[in-house]
């Protein structure tokens, strides 16, 4: 499912980005309370004219909301101006996260939320959550890209039917415009494969995610990049090229949090 992440965008940028993405064919939108743009996402969905049932909306409970998660879920629905949330995640492991997870399970039973999951949880934290969970996480959203492929985590999560969702799928870029994206886009292996298929490094990386079974949520406020990132369905990477990218795994994270 083509997707857009809404991290580090102003409300105005987020609204325009979501609107442009929906017009270009994206149908998964990722936001969070801490991003401060849930209202903008809701406005863009209404503005787009795309039927609600065709759009998959993900948002996340911030750690400070864990102790009053039921109330915050209702607040999220109001900010998004939606009757239900397609996927709700716990943003980070923190105190009261098990209480918050139980609140999300209750929201599923009440029809306020369709599915639930985790973000920035690894094997240890995931195992702790599974001690109390009655609904296994649909996804775990972690930093994943060719330099940090989460191979062992994917095998572990798969035991529970949980899918890996990739934030920073292109390596990310910080508020100063620097980050792992530049490193990945200039990696000689990725550049060589991009030339072979007459595609950009971004398109090669996103195609790798797709064929590797990851859900990728790239984010951009640039209409040209939004369009570029979705144009990955007209080619397939060969097994040989998939193995070349697999060999790039360094278990290297680019995020600073």
């Amino acid at each position: 499912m083509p997707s857009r992440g809404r991290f580090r965008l102003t409300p105005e940028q987020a609204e325009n980005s979501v609107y442009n993405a929906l017009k270009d064919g994206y149908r998964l939108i990722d936001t969070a309370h801490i991003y401060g743009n849930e209202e903008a996402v809701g406005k863009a969905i209404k503005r787009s004219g795309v039927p609600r049932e065709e759009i998959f909306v993900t948002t996340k409970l911030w750690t400070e909301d864990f102790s009053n998660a039921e109330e915050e879920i209702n607040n999220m629905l109001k900010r998004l101006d939606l009757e239900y949330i397609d996927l709700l995640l716990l943003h980070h492991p923190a105190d009261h996260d098990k209480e918050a997870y139980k609140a999300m399970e209750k929201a599923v039973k009440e029809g306020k939320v369709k599915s639930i999951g985790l973000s920035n949880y690894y094997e240890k934290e995931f195992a702790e959550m599974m001690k109390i969970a009655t609904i296994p996480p649909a996804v775990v959203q972690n930093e994943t890209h060719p330099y940090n492929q989460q191979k062992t985590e994917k095998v572990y999560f798969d035991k529970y039917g949980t899918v890996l969702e990739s934030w920073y799928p292109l390596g990310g870029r910080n508020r100063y415009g620097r980050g792992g994206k530049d490193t990945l886009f200039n990696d000689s292996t990725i550049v060589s494969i991009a030339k072979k298929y007459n595609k950009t490094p971004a398109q090669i990386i996103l195609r790798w995610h797709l064929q590797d079974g990851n859900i990728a949520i790239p984010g951009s406020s640039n209409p040209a990049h939004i369009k570029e990132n979705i144009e990955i369905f007209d080619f397939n990477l060969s097994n040989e090229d998939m193995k070349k990218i697999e060999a790039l795994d360094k278990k290297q994270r680019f995020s600073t949090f």
Side-chain angles (χ1 to χ4, degrees):
M1 178 183 293
S3 58
R4 300 303 303 157
R6 304 275 57 83
F7 179 48
R8 287 193 176 131
L9 296 183
T10 66
E12 182 179 4
Q13 287 176 325
E15 181 179 345
N16 289 331
S17 179
V18 171
Y19 175 78
N20 288 325
L22 291 171
K23 288 299 185 183
D24 282 337
Y26 290 86
R27 291 297 181 264
L28 189 157
I29 305 300
D30 180 274
T31 186
H33 181 187
I34 196 65
Y35 300 169
N37 52 35
E38 287 174 316
E39 289 184 0
V41 167
K43 289 178 181 178
I45 290 172
K46 294 291 192 300
R47 176 180 158 198
S48 73
V50 177
R52 170 67 181 95
E53 61 271 17
E54 294 183 10
I55 303 172
F56 193 96
V57 179
T58 300
T59 191
K60 311 176 195 73
L61 281 166
W62 185 239
T63 56
E64 294 178 0
D65 301 317
F66 287 177
S67 59
N68 63 327
E70 284 192 51
E71 179 182 353
E72 182 52 32
I73 291 169
N74 290 329
N75 290 337
M76 285 178 156
L77 289 166
K78 291 177 183 177
R79 288 194 295 267
L80 289 163
D81 194 19
L82 298 175
E83 293 183 359
Y84 64 90
I85 294 165
D86 295 280
L87 175 63
L88 181 59
L89 309 178
L90 300 185
H91 210 141
H92 284 275
D95 291 342
H96 305 292
D97 59 354
K98 290 181 180 179
E99 297 171 36
Y101 197 87
K102 298 304 289 185
M104 293 200 304
E105 291 185 326
K106 181 181 178 184
V108 170
K109 294 173 183 176
E110 294 172 343
K112 298 176 181 178
V113 174
K114 299 296 185 181
S115 55
I116 57 178
L118 304 168
S119 180
N120 299 299
Y121 278 69
Y122 296 88
E123 288 189 34
K124 180 181 177 181
E125 298 88 354
F126 186 99
E128 282 298 310
M129 190 60 71
M130 289 309 298
K131 291 179 180 179
I132 60 92
T134 59
I135 302 175
V139 306
V140 174
Q141 194 181 99
N142 288 340
E143 179 185 343
T144 314
H145 45 70
Y147 280 16
N148 191 45
Q149 297 182 23
Q150 302 279 303
K151 293 176 184 176
T152 58
E153 285 82 1
K154 285 178 69 172
V155 173
Y156 179 77
F157 297 150
D158 188 58
K159 296 177 183 178
Y160 298 91
T162 303
V163 177
L164 182 68
E165 188 168 34
S166 310
W167 62 262
Y168 267 14
L170 298 175
R173 180 169 291 175
N174 62 28
R175 69 189 64 185
Y176 305 107
R178 300 186 297 274
K181 181 182 290 187
D182 298 319
T183 300
L184 292 179
F185 284 10
N186 288 288
D187 180 274
S188 60
T189 297
I190 293 173
V191 169
S192 175
I193 294 173
K195 289 180 180 178
K196 174 181 175 180
Y197 292 91
N198 195 29
K199 291 289 184 178
T200 67
Q203 290 168 327
I204 295 301
I205 294 169
L206 291 173
R207 184 69 208 183
W208 167 79
H209 276 291
L210 182 65
Q211 292 183 214
D212 202 48
N214 304 333
I215 302 170
I217 47 172
S220 178
S221 59
N222 184 319
H225 291 164
I226 292 172
K227 189 173 187 300
E228 172 190 341
N229 290 344
I230 201 174
E231 293 177 342
I232 62 170
F233 298 99
D234 57 351
F235 75 106
N236 289 288
L237 295 172
S238 68
N239 291 335
E240 179 183 2
D241 290 327
M242 286 293 292
K243 288 178 181 178
K244 287 180 181 179
I245 297 176
E246 182 180 348
L248 296 177
D249 191 14
K250 309 171 189 287
K251 294 181 172 58
Q252 177 183 347
R253 296 182 63 182
F254 293 121
S255 60
T256 57
F257 51 87

